[in-house]
Amino acid sequence: QVQLVESGGGLVQAGGSLRLSCAASERTFGTYVMGWFRQAPGKEREFVAAISWSGGTTYYADSVKGRFTISRDNAKNTVDLQMNSLKPVDTAVYYCAAGFRARLDGSNRGYDYWGQGAQVTVSS
């Protein structure tokens, strides 16, 4: 059982930056694909970014490409999401997810474990 805990959310003005971090409890963290998803009020959860187990491959939603960067540190069991040039439409609860069978294709298939979420609010 993998436990995921997000941190780093908060309130920021449009154009600002935030960095989310997700800490995993599992010592086999390095074998999982890791992803970030988000859910805005009244909307379905959507894919944001994903990173392969080695960190060598990443995949982003078109809406965040060029602004967000996903990275991981397998020695520390952490995955981060650096968010720059934030917009009010980025306001959502952001979730970290882990999946051994997940693919880097923008879907939520194959993710077995989810964090509790971190609120990100971008004011205009």
Side-chain angles (χ1 to χ4, degrees):
Q1 185 78 10
V2 179
Q3 293 184 331
L4 304 172
V5 179
E6 300 97 337
S7 61
L11 173 65
V12 65
Q13 289 189 331
S17 299
L18 278 176
R19 188 177 184 90
L20 298 178
S21 186
C22 174
S25 63
E26 179 59 46
R27 62 183 176 88
T28 60
F29 170 81
T31 64
Y32 289 93
V33 170
M34 298 299 297
W36 285 97
F37 294 77
R38 67 186 182 186
Q39 187 168 18
K43 295 188 176 181
E44 293 187 353
R45 188 174 299 186
E46 65 175 4
F47 170 81
V48 175
I51 189 167
S52 62
W53 64 269
S54 68
T57 304
T58 56
Y59 188 84
Y60 296 92
D62 288 343
S63 59
V64 306
K65 201 172 295 183
R67 300 189 297 124
F68 291 11
T69 302
I70 188 171
S71 61
R72 68 188 297 163
D73 185 336
N74 288 344
K76 297 181 178 180
N77 285 6
T78 58
V79 58
D80 292 346
L81 185 69
Q82 177 66 42
M83 303 183 292
N84 298 329
S85 302
L86 283 162
K87 306 174 182 178
V89 295
D90 294 318
T91 295
V93 177
Y94 283 70
Y95 297 90
C96 172
F100 184 71
R101 296 177 302 276
R103 296 185 178 184
L104 277 70
D105 61 1
S107 77
N108 62 1
R109 292 189 300 270
Y111 288 96
D112 303 306
Y113 306 102
W114 295 80
Q116 82 287 351
Q119 177 69 48
V120 171
T121 303
V122 184
S123 63
S124 57

